[in-house]
Amino acid sequence: MRFDSPWWLLALLVVPLALLGYRVLERRRRASAAVFANPVLVPNLVRRRPGWRRHLPPALVLLALVFLATGLARPHATLSVPREEATVVLAVDVSRSMVATDVRPTRLAAAQTAIRAFLRKLPAGYRVAIVSFAQAPYVVLPPTADRALAERSLANLRPGDGTALGDGIARALQVAEGVRGKSGDRPAAAIVLLSDGAQTIGSKQPITPAKRAAALKIPISTVALGTAAGVVELQNPDGTTERVTVPPDPATLRRIAATTIGTFYEAPDGERLQAVYEELGSRVGRIRREREITAAFAAAGALLLVGAGASSAFLFGRIP
């Protein structure tokens, strides 16, 4: 927490002094009471002592002073607030391994369902782009705020051969860089990368475009889809069928996310994948920014003062 006028915090010194003064007054009150009546006989004269309730109004007043003094110092806090404008580029692996059924009904179908949930979480004004990659990357959907068009483009994804992971990241980054906001500046952007396997083809290694994304302050959140038991059937040229294991490559995806200050997720099943994309929708839709919170402290102090007066009037029939 940061303060614009920190010298007002010196007013907090009044609180311990007030506590000390309150204790002195309490001792004098007890001493004065003892002059008029023997303390042993007090229970016979007073039906019920107020106990801790006697101290409630003064305690609320002191607490109100703490909040009001802190508010005068003009505190600032870093809060999570909705982004006003942003672009999210979804980079989706559509390699042949995405037809594996270890994630039901298939990895690709589960990814499409989860991404639809992600789209519903994003603010309506956000632009979304989709880049698919297998043997090569393709811009399936340029940046748009049209969610219906995004869902249609998502439904048209089809599996291909190879996994050009590095080229896919580079193309997604190129799309993110090319977007301009209403003011002509590049708005905040993020890339969400979903892949279920290691790179098998392509001209770029994944870490190269990831470093460029880090330099541009574009985070890449990565999702490793599938399990080590994932299997696909491939047709050989001689007509025979070969079963090939297609495990994900979490180490590479974790490194990409760490390089760009993004978040890495593992999604071994459809349910977890759905939860991941719902969480990503909430994260991408917000940003941490510094805000002045003087009004909150002032309101809390005022409410505490009202509470002190109300409790004193209700318990003892007088205002402190």
Side-chain angles (χ1 to χ4, degrees), residues 34-78:
V35 172
F36 295 99
N38 189 333
V40 177
L41 300 177
V42 169
N44 297 324
L45 301 174
V46 180
R47 181 179 301 176
R48 185 178 61 182
R49 291 184 176 183
W52 62 268
R53 289 173 297 178
R54 165 185 287 279
H55 309 296
L56 179 60
L60 291 176
V61 169
L62 289 178
L63 193 57
L65 289 176
V66 171
F67 277 92
L68 292 173
T70 305
L72 288 171
R74 297 186 61 192
H76 289 68
T78 302

Side-chain angles (χ1 to χ4, degrees), residues 2 31-32 82 96 104 124 126 137 142 171 182 192-193 195 216-217 220 225-226 235 258 263 268 283 318-320:
R2 182 178 66 81
S32 298
R96 186 67 58 185
R104 300 290 180 180
Y126 274 40
R171 191 70 182 96
K182 297 175 183 177
V192 178
L193 169 66
S195 180
L216 294 171
K217 301 188 184 306
I220 302 176
L225 177 61
Q235 291 290 331
T263 307
R283 283 182 177 234
R318 56 185 172 83
I319 303 297

